[in-house]
Amino acid sequence: MNDLMDQGSINKESIIELAVRHVCPGRVAVFKQLGAVPVMGRREGNYFWDLDGRKLFDVHINGGTYNLGHRNAEVIAALKEALGHYDMGNHHFVSVARTRLAEQLVSLVPGDMQYCVFTASGAEAIDVAIRSARRATGRRKIISFIGCYHGHGGIGLRAGEAEQARFFLSEQPEDEILRVPFNDQGAMEQALAGGDVAAALCEIIPATSGFPMPSPGYYPAIKKMCVEKGTFLVADEVQTGLMRTGEMWACRGYGIEPDILVTGKGLSGGIYPIAAAVLSKQAGAWLPEDGWGHSSTFGGSELGCVVALKVLEIIQRPEVRANVRDVSSFLAGALREIQSRHPFLLEIRQNGLIIGLRFDNPVGGALVTACAFDSGLWAFPAGFDRSVLQFKPNLLVDRPAAEEALSLLEKSIELCETRFLGGPHA
Ligand SMILES: Cc1ncc(COP(=O)(O)O)c(C=O)c1O
């Protein structure tokens, strides 16, 4: 066995030095500043182990990628079986695996869905969604939320934080991307008023802003406005979909049917990359017209399709859904108790297993991240609001595991109060 597989003999610092030299110097600098530079070694279920030996309960789960935990045995078995029959397939051809997965996804997404375009990443699927909306409406303008994130693709990057696009001289002409505050119906109404917008691109619960929750009635109201103005509503469910809210898709819980839905991350089972844009007949009207309107060698690879079908089968099991609901309500009560002992925890934002914890410090989420790393918990602050810690157990975490995660969280908060705030913070 070489040291790629048996990592016990690898010196963590030497790998970090190599990463600085060849891979991601800027990123390492940020992790160092945060006080937590994990290098994943072994990984299993709720945990991964840093190369320095520490065991970490993963409640960041890479945005939902490890929605079924790390190295889920059933997903791995499905991939191994597929390797006995398939390779990635030929993306130009009709494919059994791709067709079966499309049929499943189309039937699972609320609304009048017809087509599925497969990609290798969420960002690519977002670009497909926007291009589809533009083609179908003949309009160029896109609305997105301030503080949202849709990946580092072409158009999607420009719909996210303008600063990130500007960095690469890739910002969109200002009159093509209209960015409105989340939860502001008036701003959305104004942006849609001209009747010239192709799509309202909605990250259903914006992760990078720390999971602010949509106000009651917000989504039905903007869906109604979109229908009136002939604008497509695109639900970016890369982080919120696949049962994280106790529903297959968060948009269903908020009572809306999107015209296009984008899924990714957890669809891969954390094992084989795959993402997709699911389109209504109208939104996908280019598909009968142009067979190569989108083309992606690795998009919808057949191995990925087999894995995704297994993922969908697992998350639709009644016991998985029941577990999500049970653990979510258990966490809601237990987090309130932690809050009563630690007023440093200002606000709990929760929908199912999507949880943002806002602390009483502009960088509170980042401070707790460092302490969590030293306490055996891997959690991560929200990128655009570092007062918030993202706390996202996987779907299969049971009550005892949830208790363990909570006790690690409380230990991390206590350590943070002692280390950075001069004792328990009242
Ligand atoms: C909400 C959302 N949309 C899109 C993306 C892009 O997905 P990917 O990283 O697979 O390109 C992400 C990734 O974090 C995301 O969180």
Side-chain angles (χ1 to χ4, degrees):
M1 203 191 297
N2 65 28
D3 73 353
L4 262 184
M5 301 301 160
D6 177 15
Q7 297 156 337
S9 59
I10 297 179
N11 175 283
K12 179 178 168 182
E13 288 313 313
S14 70
I15 294 293
I16 294 176
E17 272 171 37
L18 272 180
V20 168
R21 200 173 320 146
H22 297 305
V23 188
C24 51
R27 200 168 282 203
V28 171
V30 170
F31 277 110
K32 280 192 172 164
Q33 201 186 18
L34 201 59
V37 193
V39 180
M40 278 170 96
R42 190 181 146 210
R43 49 209 91 171
E44 215 66 63
N46 299 327
Y47 308 99
F48 70 88
W49 282 256
D50 187 66
L51 272 196
D52 70 8
R54 75 181 85 192
K55 180 181 179 187
L56 293 156
F57 195 123
D58 189 358
V59 288
H60 177 245
I61 60 167
N62 203 354
T65 307
Y66 302 109
N67 211 15
L68 299 177
H70 288 273
R71 295 178 40 73
N72 181 283
E74 287 187 84
V75 176
I76 288 178
L79 179 61
K80 281 188 175 163
E81 192 188 357
L83 283 167
H85 306 273
Y86 287 101
D87 51 21
M88 290 195 302
N90 184 323
H91 71 296
H92 296 295
F93 299 165
V94 167
S95 138
V96 175
R98 222 163 12 245
T99 309
R100 289 273 156 76
L101 178 58
E103 190 185 21
Q104 265 278 311
L105 282 170
V106 162
S107 73
L108 287 172
V109 174
D112 189 17
M113 293 295 158
Q114 172 98 26
Y115 301 113
C116 197
V117 176
F118 292 108
T119 62
S121 72
E124 191 189 343
I126 290 286
D127 277 15
V128 168
I130 294 176
R131 287 205 304 274
S132 301
R134 283 180 163 170
R135 170 80 197 169
T137 59
R139 306 169 179 174
R140 287 183 65 86
K141 284 187 186 169
I142 304 294
I143 298 174
S144 65
F145 298 137
I146 295 167
C148 63
Y149 177 71
H150 301 287
H152 274 62
I155 320 170
L157 177 63
R158 295 168 223 164
E161 280 302 282
E163 202 185 308
Q164 295 191 332
R166 243 190 320 271
F167 186 78
F168 288 110
L169 281 63
S170 300
E171 67 268 37
Q172 191 80 353
E174 252 168 41
D175 58 347
E176 286 191 3
I177 301 279
L178 311 172
R179 306 185 72 251
V180 300
F182 180 62
N183 260 338
D184 184 336
Q185 283 185 38
M188 181 64 82
E189 193 171 9
Q190 213 178 341
L192 286 167
D196 56 353
V197 176
L201 175 58
C202 303
E203 187 184 350
I204 297 293
I205 307 173
T208 322
S209 291
F211 302 125
M213 293 295 155
S215 323
Y218 176 63
Y219 276 119
I222 66 174
K223 170 71 191 180
K224 187 164 170 278
M225 293 176 205
C226 284
V227 170
E228 280 165 12
K229 296 294 178 184
T231 295
F232 287 129
L233 193 150
V234 179
D236 179 344
E237 295 247 16
V238 169
Q239 290 225 18
T240 51
L242 303 172
M243 208 55 83
R244 294 216 52 77
T245 60
E247 298 274 357
M248 181 58 85
W249 312 108
C251 65
R252 186 188 282 281
Y254 293 120
I256 55 159
E257 295 180 349
D259 300 284
I260 304 175
L261 181 142
V262 174
T263 179
K265 287 200 187 273
L267 192 64
S268 69
I271 293 292
Y272 202 101
I274 185 160
V278 184
L279 310 161
S280 69
K281 186 172 181 181
Q282 212 193 345
W286 60 268
L287 279 144
E289 282 179 48
D290 183 349
W292 276 261
H294 183 74
S295 182
S296 168
T297 302
F298 300 142
S301 98
E302 293 185 323
L303 291 170
C305 290
V306 173
V307 162
L309 280 163
K310 176 54 76 177
V311 166
L312 293 177
E313 183 212 313
I314 296 172
I315 64 184
Q316 286 181 85
R317 289 177 190 156
E319 64 270 25
V320 171
R321 192 192 185 102
N323 184 63
V324 171
R325 294 188 169 190
D326 175 61
V327 170
S328 301
S329 67
F330 168 69
L331 286 173
L335 283 167
R336 272 197 301 275
E337 281 173 31
I338 291 181
Q339 187 180 33
S340 70
R341 293 189 286 273
H342 302 275
F344 177 43
L345 173 51
L346 261 193
E347 186 189 347
I348 300 162
R349 301 166 174 170
Q350 183 181 9
N351 184 343
L353 293 177
I354 297 176
I355 301 172
L357 304 174
R358 187 163 74 87
F359 290 94
D360 189 8
N361 182 297
V363 292
L367 298 178
V368 177
T369 291
C371 298
F373 188 58
D374 291 336
S375 307
L377 185 74
W378 180 246
F380 206 59
F384 300 147
D385 182 354
R386 291 158 77 80
S387 69
V388 180
L389 187 75
Q390 301 181 336
F391 186 83
K392 300 179 290 191
N394 73 67
L395 302 186
L396 306 181
V397 159
D398 56 13
R399 281 248 193 156
E403 277 169 20
E404 185 189 338
L406 285 166
S407 124
L408 292 170
L409 174 70
E410 186 155 16
K411 204 168 135 197
S412 312
I413 295 173
E414 280 164 6
L415 184 58
C416 187
E417 289 167 339
T418 309
R419 196 184 275 178
F420 297 112
L421 307 167
H425 184 73

